[in-house]
């Protein structure tokens, strides 16, 4: 193929690549690439400086507990495919998210899905931003 046609074919491939990525406000998390059986203490290895040759959790992760890791890094995490919806209202005075977003709590308010069971309210805005 001629150089010009090669360049335009590459352009189409690049565009397809861009369109295939969901519209995240943040990077999609890299999926965990090892067995997690018996490895619940993610931070034992993924804390900066803990183990050489293990990728460190980035500085943005400060304050995230071990219970949060798989919400984003599980190979089947919705975070890999579904950008979380933005909060469509102010959060001032509405810090108790689950007062309203618990299934059955208030009609006409979208419920937090079952996948969210046990998520502490302090973590809601990690994924849902204004
Ligand atoms: C015993 C140490 C250890 C524990 C515990 C551990 N990991 Fe890992 N993790 C590793 C190592 C080593 C790698 C690099 C593996 C490779 O690339 O072959 C890795 C890779 C990863 C990656 C891929 C990073 C990338 O750049 O693609 C993610 C994500 C990850 N781990 C998440 C987790 C989560 C979530 C947990 C807890 C459920 C966890 N890990 C527990 C050692 C550990
Ligand atoms: C809210 C989603 C979310 C949670 C919760 C989360 N991560 Fe991440 N993680 C990400 C994203 C997104 C990246 C990609 C880099 C970035 O944009 O910060 C990342 C990057 C990483 C990396 C770096 C991979 C590399 O190759 O550099 C590691 C390791 C990691 N996370 C481990 C963890 C561990 C351990 C926990 C739990 C303590 C955790 N993550 C919790 C979303 C998350
Ligand atoms: C007083 C009740 C109340 C509280 C507290 C509350 N919300 Fe909401 N939320 C609503 C209502 C009502 C809607 C839908 C209408 C609207 O946008 O105002 C909504 C919409 C949302 C949406 C958009 C859903 C969609 O389908 O587009 C998200 C995400 C959300 N809220 C997250 C949160 C988070 C995170 C918190 C805590 C920081 C929170 N909410 C606190 C009542 C509440
Ligand atoms: C790890 C990221 C993450 C965290 C933390 C998180 N969410 Fe979500 N949320 C999502 C994703 C992704 C979806 C859509 C896919 C799904 O159903 O899981 C979603 C869906 C929702 C929906 C449904 C929106 C609709 O219109 O259907 C609501 C409401 C919601 N979340 C509220 C919350 C609240 C309240 C918290 C804190 C208790 C919270 N979320 C914590 C990622 C997250």
């Amino acid at each position: 193929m001629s150089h010009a046609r090669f360049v335009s074919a590459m352009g189409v491939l690049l565009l397809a690549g861009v369109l295939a990525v969901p519209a995240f406000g943040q990077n999609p998390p890299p999926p965990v690439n090892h067995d997690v059986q018996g490895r619940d203490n993610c931070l034992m290895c993924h804390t900066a400086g803990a183990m050489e040759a293990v990728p460190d959790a980035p500085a943005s992760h400060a304050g995230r507990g071990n219970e949060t890791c798989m919400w984003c890094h599980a190979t089947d995490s919705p975070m890999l495919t579904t950008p979380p919806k933005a909060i469509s209202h102010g959060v001032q005075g509405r810090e108790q998210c689950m007062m309203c977003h618990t299934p059955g709590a208030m009609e006409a308010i979208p419920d937090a899905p079952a996948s969210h069971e046990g998520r502490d309210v302090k973590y809601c805005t990690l994924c849902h931003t204004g």
Side-chain angles (χ1 to χ4, degrees), residues 4-63:
R5 279 184 64 185
F6 176 74
V7 166
S8 85
M10 284 306 288
V12 168
L13 283 177
L14 282 173
L15 185 60
V18 167
L19 292 177
V21 173
F24 277 93
Q26 54 187 338
N27 300 324
V32 59
N33 59 359
H34 57 71
D35 194 359
V36 292
Q37 191 79 41
R39 292 190 173 189
D40 306 340
N41 189 355
C42 316
L43 289 170
M44 185 177 85
C45 301
H46 289 289
T47 298
M51 288 188 195
E52 228 184 311
V54 176
D56 296 336
S60 61
H61 283 35

Side-chain angles (χ1 to χ4, degrees), residues 84-101 106-111 121 123-129:
K85 288 189 177 158
I87 306 174
S88 52
H89 54 72
V91 290
Q92 188 87 44
R94 291 191 174 192
E95 292 84 2
Q96 292 309 317
C97 319
M98 294 312 281
M99 190 176 83
C100 301
H101 291 288
M106 289 189 195
E107 229 184 311
I109 295 183
D111 297 335
V121 81
Y123 291 126
C124 305
T125 51
L126 264 188
C127 303
H128 300 281
T129 52

